[in-house]
Amino acid sequence: MKVVVADPIHEAGIELLRQEGMDVVVATDMEREELLRELQDADGLLVRSRTKVRRDVLELAKNLKVIGRAGVGVDNIDLDAATERGVVVVNAPEASTITVAEHTIGLILSLARRIPFADASLKAGKWEKKKFLGCELRGKTLGVIGLGRIGTQVALKAKAFDMKILAYDPYITEDYGRELGIEVASFEEVLKRADFITVHVPLTDKTRGLIGREEFNKMKEGAYIVNCARGGIIDEDALIEALNSGRIAGAALDVFEVEPPIGRPILKAKNIVVTPHLGASTEEAQRYASTIACEEVVKVLRNEAPRNVVNMPAIPPEAMEKLRGYLTLAETLGRFTVQLVRGRMRDVNVTFCGAIAEVKEQTVLCNAVLSGLLSPILTERVNLLNAPVVAKNRGIRVTIGKREDSESYGNLMLLEVKSDQGESLVKGCLHGEKEPRIVEVDGYSLELAPEGRILLVRHDDRPGMIGRVALGLGNNGINIAAMQVGRKEKGGVQLMILMVDQLVPEEVVKEISAIDGVKDVKAVEMEK
Ligand code: NAD
């Protein structure tokens, strides 16, 4: 088997490939022409982010079976083209977890003991022992926002310093926290009680500006904050204000709204420690990224199951043709429902009815539902292969059911999600061959093409409610494109569904929720 290494990766991976008997061609210094020639008969390819693997490259590499990315991001690989050609793409998402967690702890200690400031002062010829009085970590509360791979490791390491760990992650179960000796709390509580706060969430529309002016005002006077995740999760203008006014005692950032942040005001804020996106920069993380990616490549070439598959060419093309519509419905149903669920998901039940109940690949369809449920909240790509493992690791029990009766829709998929704060039942069907429709939400019948931005408002069934909600949106410059209202009985609770032209910001959701007679409001975003 011939494996081409196109970008510089740690030598340990190349060694591993050779030990496994691969014919390795290191093409890191080759001109593109020469690299393409080598790829013509290659079975495997290893890249980082430099080499662009577009459709033309995949068409030329006729033997290619696997592409390994020594790292996480796969923006440089045309995943659709790879999937269509049956080329498996694997990566190494866990390679830098420990490295980033250790960097976070380093930043927490830098803040507590003021190490970077003391270092600069002494090098400037001063001996300011009194000025740099620090604080111990022992007994302090660390608030971890996002208890995924990195957040969990930070929490475990901080426990070794005798810190009390308080974590906020709406998508994990309390059991997960309990088993690790971590108290799982609400966002507000973490903000209020933590002495140090560290964020480890992905950057999404929901987490952009997660920590802003309002959140800084809720924090303990003199708290510290660390961001080793992604720039933009903390609002930099609000952070500058909180630091300069002394509202918080210090901040450490590895990531920035604009990178590099040279010349930007954030670097001039009081009591700020910064590093140039070094979170994942260790020799070990590079070695792991290289060896994990190479191991995965070898597994694929040996027809063994890899762990970190980014795409999903597992279904034969003929079967895929038939499944495509149902897969879209399944993924859409998951993506829609996760935005309605409050609390930590515990049980997921998918029931296939009518024509879908006859499809053989029900596990694959269930995995597509899980991918829709989990992808919007996780950093990694959750796909048809890894979805069951990711769900299991997060303590979610998954069951599949089957029913002949499809309630006159011909085909119908039911998704029931139970969390620690309630449950949601959403039904969807496929209209024509490829258009998913949501036909019921928690007992309310409707007919919704789940696209763009949607606002779901449950409110008392009484005159004037629709006008009040519409006015609330209009006052905030939000245009309503279409709307539906449904109820179970007269005078009870109605469900209003509004298709809106732009994302409804959190503060507007709060404003609408506060209208007399409104029970709850959910903003749903269907674009990926
Ligand atoms: P992960 O997917 O394992 O964990 C993310 C966690 O965030 C999940 O548990 C998820 O449930 C939770 N989450 C999602 N939305 C949330 C919300 N609104 N509030 C609270 N929790 C929420 O990801 P990871 O591998 O631990 O990575 C965490 C972050 O670190 C990501 O932003 C990633 O890009 C970043 N990262 C930075 C560096 C660096 O060099 N500084 C290197 C690697 C990763």
Side-chain angles (χ1 to χ4, degrees):
M1 294 275 188
K2 174 175 172 183
V3 179
V4 173
V5 178
D7 292 342
I9 61 170
H10 196 282
E11 189 57 33
I14 298 176
E15 195 94 320
L16 185 145
L17 291 173
R18 291 205 173 107
Q19 276 168 9
E20 294 290 337
M22 301 290 149
D23 172 14
V24 184
V25 176
V26 178
T28 47
D29 294 328
M30 284 181 189
E31 293 297 328
R32 183 124 175 127
E33 292 292 293
E34 208 181 336
L35 168 68
L36 294 182
R37 255 199 311 279
E38 288 293 351
L39 282 177
Q40 281 175 11
D41 60 347
D43 299 281
L45 167 64
L46 273 142
V47 296
R48 284 178 62 182
S49 55
R50 188 185 70 180
T51 299
K52 309 282 174 254
V53 191
R54 303 283 171 232
R55 189 172 284 275
D56 53 337
V57 176
L58 286 154
E59 273 165 12
L60 170 147
K62 300 231 175 315
N63 266 353
L64 201 65
K65 297 166 188 73
V66 55
I67 302 168
R69 157 72 162 105
V72 190
V74 285
D75 295 346
N76 53 323
I77 302 169
D78 185 335
L79 291 179
D80 290 338
T83 306
E84 278 167 35
R85 303 189 69 81
V87 177
V88 184
V89 180
V90 289
N91 66 349
E94 72 278 38
S96 60
T97 300
I98 300 294
T99 282
V100 180
E102 287 184 2
H103 194 71
T104 307
I105 297 289
L107 291 179
I108 292 174
L109 283 167
S110 299
L111 288 172
R113 305 305 301 271
R114 319 207 63 204
I115 297 168
F117 309 113
D119 174 82
S121 150
L122 182 50
K123 284 176 181 164
K126 299 179 217 158
W127 187 256
E128 302 179 294
K129 277 176 75 77
K130 282 213 180 88
K131 184 172 172 191
F132 298 117
L133 185 72
C135 71
E136 281 188 354
L137 297 187
R138 179 176 52 168
K140 300 290 185 308
T141 299
L142 175 65
V144 179
I145 296 179
L147 202 59
R149 276 184 298 246
I150 297 170
T152 300
Q153 283 303 322
V154 170
L156 295 179
K157 291 178 190 336
K159 279 178 66 155
F161 286 92
D162 290 331
M163 294 188 90
K164 168 159 183 42
I165 316 296
L166 205 57
Y168 166 68
D169 187 326
Y171 310 107
I172 53 135
T173 60
E174 249 163 52
D175 293 349
Y176 176 78
R178 215 179 347 258
E179 273 163 28
L180 298 169
I182 294 168
E183 182 185 340
V184 176
S186 69
F187 186 43
E188 303 280 312
E189 220 173 321
V190 172
L191 294 177
K192 266 204 309 235
R193 285 172 52 197
D195 300 295
F196 290 80
I197 292 180
T198 180
V199 293
H200 300 285
V201 296
L203 179 64
T204 63
D205 273 346
K206 288 241 158 73
T207 61
R208 193 179 296 280
L210 185 71
I211 312 279
R213 220 156 260 133
E214 209 179 305
E215 288 70 28
F216 282 118
N217 285 334
K218 287 182 186 157
M219 285 178 199
K220 261 191 180 174
E221 191 100 31
Y224 293 92
I225 189 154
V226 177
N227 185 5
C228 254
R230 280 286 173 268
I233 296 168
I234 299 179
D235 177 332
E236 280 180 11
D237 288 339
L239 175 61
I240 295 171
E241 263 178 48
L243 284 168
N244 291 349
S245 67
R247 180 77 190 70
I248 64 166
L253 302 182
D254 183 48
V255 288
F256 304 86
E257 282 174 2
V258 175
E259 290 186 9
I262 311 295
R264 289 179 59 91
I266 188 68
L267 299 185
K268 299 221 168 67
K270 248 166 73 182
N271 295 322
I272 194 160
V273 174
V274 290
T275 49
H277 206 142
L278 286 184
S281 298
T282 60
E283 212 265 338
E284 289 85 350
Q286 281 173 16
R287 173 148 36 89
Y288 289 139
S290 171
T291 51
I292 293 170
C294 290
E295 266 166 20
E296 296 286 82
V297 164
V298 171
K299 276 194 199 146
V300 175
L301 293 179
R302 296 233 165 101
N303 286 326
E304 291 164 16
R307 270 182 309 163
N308 306 312
V309 182
V310 179
N311 60 345
M312 31 81 33
I315 307 165
E318 322 76 69
M320 187 66 196
E321 209 40 59
K322 276 198 254 150
L323 269 188
R324 208 179 295 276
Y326 289 150
L327 281 171
T328 311
L329 169 62
E331 221 258 343
T332 307
L333 199 59
R335 184 169 285 273
F336 182 84
T337 309
V338 67
Q339 302 181 69
L340 305 187
V341 176
R342 259 192 230 294
R344 303 169 188 93
M345 291 187 269
R346 284 190 170 147
D347 292 282
V348 171
N349 175 270
V350 188
T351 307
F352 301 107
C353 314
I356 314 183
E358 280 147 37
V359 170
K360 266 205 317 250
E361 292 84 357
Q362 294 195 342
T363 320
V364 178
L365 290 179
C366 177
N367 291 353
V369 172
L370 293 176
S371 150
L373 273 174
L374 295 166
S375 293
I377 61 172
L378 295 181
T379 308
E380 74 198 275
R381 244 177 108 98
V382 183
N383 56 38
L384 301 190
L385 288 177
N386 67 2
V389 182
V390 177
K392 187 162 173 258
N393 287 346
R394 299 182 70 79
I396 302 171
R397 285 181 293 265
V398 184
T399 48
I400 300 181
K402 237 172 154 184
R403 241 174 49 186
E404 263 176 40
D405 164 31
S406 63
E407 301 174 20
S408 81
Y409 290 104
N411 67 74
L412 188 69
M413 229 181 255
L414 270 58
L415 172 56
E416 248 179 304
V417 179
K418 290 194 182 134
S419 76
D420 55 354
Q421 285 178 31
E423 46 189 279
S424 291
L425 171 62
V426 181
K427 299 182 184 177
C429 74
L430 200 62
H431 180 75
E433 284 192 354
K434 50 180 185 220
E435 287 170 38
R437 291 278 185 276
I438 302 291
V439 294
E440 199 180 303
V441 173
D442 295 335
Y444 292 92
S445 298
L446 45 117
E447 164 81 34
L448 174 73
E451 288 158 9
R453 275 95 194 221
I454 305 164
L455 198 70
L456 285 94
V457 184
R458 283 193 328 118
H459 59 88
D460 290 343
D461 180 17
R462 60 175 153 96
M465 290 308 299
I466 296 174
R468 262 172 252 159
V469 171
L471 193 66
L473 291 172
N475 287 344
N476 285 288
I478 293 164
N479 190 42
I480 302 171
M483 126 176 218
Q484 289 182 42
V485 189
R487 64 183 174 193
K488 292 181 197 167
E489 78 266 323
K490 202 170 162 193
V493 175
Q494 278 196 328
L495 178 68
M496 187 191 321
I497 297 180
L498 301 155
M499 314 295 287
V500 286
D501 285 346
Q502 66 252 59
L503 189 75
V504 182
E506 203 50 46
E507 53 286 6
V508 181
V509 169
K510 278 192 194 143
E511 196 180 313
I512 306 284
S513 309
I515 294 174
D516 180 37
V518 169
K519 305 273 182 219
D520 70 50
V521 182
K522 299 266 171 54
V524 172
E525 160 76 88
M526 290 309 291
E527 266 145 48
K528 288 183 200 172

